[in-house]
Amino acid sequence: MKNVGVLASGNGTNLQAIIEAIERNEVAARVSLVISDNPGAGALERAEKKGIPGICFQRSSYASREEMERDMVEALQKEKVELVVLAGFMKVLSPYFINAFQEKIMNIHPSLLPALPGQNAVKKALEYGVKVTGCTVHFVDEGVDTGPVILQEAVPVLQNDDEAALHQRIHAAEYRCYPRAVDLFCREKIKVKGRRCYLYD
Ligand code: GRF
């Protein structure tokens, strides 16, 4: 059992999927803190409903990103967070933050990396015309969507898909992959060697 901190800027449906998987005893974790950079984030509301502490750090209240991140790290350390889970967190983290949680930060991205990194990955999949996309859970390094891959699930692109329909099916894959990746980490079933994650389950 490990303490997990979730960082989310938006709706927070991945946060919800992780919380519900914990409630079903499928994930050996406790969400001890939710952090957002957006006061209107659905993720903060979802946390509140479950009685999980939530904090909003707004970039506009700080002179620099570093100062904001210092407070974020302090809040996570105060809750003894051992894994930081990015679930739709829209800010790129600095090397300072990443060093504070070396190989203890995960992200989920709505494509099969290294294809379609960065923002709007679902829209880009349709624009490119790929037939298969999906989701990727990976450790976070200093690049954008570049860290070692933990889990991936493929999702076919259907003839009639628009962005909303495709994102909905990718989300369904995310709700399977993310709780599982968090559980593997919390049970210490992931070993990272170079770029490769070995899963022992
Ligand atoms: C997900 O599609 C995730 O892959 C991306 O941001 C989205 C977050 O959705 N990083 P939600 O806030 O969890 O509903």
Side-chain angles (χ1 to χ4, degrees):
M1 178 77 77
K2 288 193 198 292
N3 288 329
V4 170
V6 178
L7 273 54
S9 305
N11 190 352
T13 62
N14 276 286
L15 164 69
Q16 187 80 33
I18 291 167
I19 293 171
E20 288 175 7
I22 291 171
E23 288 172 349
R24 293 193 301 271
N25 292 319
E26 290 168 13
V27 178
R30 174 187 318 114
V31 178
S32 42
L33 181 62
V34 172
I35 286 179
S36 188
D37 59 339
N38 166 19
L44 287 172
E45 229 172 275
R46 291 173 192 276
E48 200 187 337
K49 279 198 184 127
K50 295 287 181 183
I52 298 167
I55 312 178
C56 184
F57 293 96
Q58 277 180 280
R59 179 63 184 84
S60 54
S61 317
Y62 289 89
S64 68
R65 176 174 70 167
E66 282 65 30
E67 283 171 55
M68 175 169 129
E69 286 188 352
R70 236 168 262 285
D71 281 358
M72 286 167 58
V73 168
E74 202 184 296
L76 291 161
Q77 285 172 343
K78 205 171 137 214
E79 294 296 336
K80 301 193 167 31
V81 162
E82 295 155 281
L83 172 67
V84 176
V85 168
L86 308 185
F89 190 64
M90 297 311 284
K91 294 255 182 317
V92 174
L93 296 166
S94 76
Y96 161 74
F97 188 100
I98 290 163
N99 283 331
F101 292 96
Q102 269 291 342
E103 277 186 4
K104 292 185 172 67
I105 311 173
M106 278 182 191
N107 182 43
I108 190 152
H109 181 76
S111 79
L112 292 176
L113 291 171
L116 311 171
Q119 286 187 18
N120 300 316
V122 181
K123 187 163 171 247
K124 286 183 202 156
L126 290 168
E127 282 168 0
Y128 195 94
V130 297
K131 298 295 186 196
V132 179
T133 182
C135 66
T136 303
V137 182
H138 64 92
F139 283 113
V140 172
D141 64 10
E142 290 179 14
V144 174
D145 302 323
T146 50
V149 171
I150 302 165
L151 287 177
Q152 295 188 299
E153 187 175 319
V155 173
V157 179
L158 305 181
Q159 206 98 307
N160 298 324
D161 270 346
D162 58 11
E163 198 181 332
L166 179 56
H167 206 160
Q168 198 179 355
R169 291 205 314 291
I170 294 174
H171 261 133
E174 292 182 337
Y175 307 153
R176 289 186 284 272
C177 287
Y178 222 179
R180 173 152 164 73
V182 171
D183 180 57
L184 286 168
F185 181 92
C186 291
R187 290 188 296 118
E188 300 183 358
K189 302 288 185 194
I190 309 176
K191 294 269 172 299
V192 188
K193 285 184 198 147
R195 283 214 49 89
R196 292 183 71 183
C197 291
Y198 295 84
L199 311 180
Y200 299 92
D201 198 24

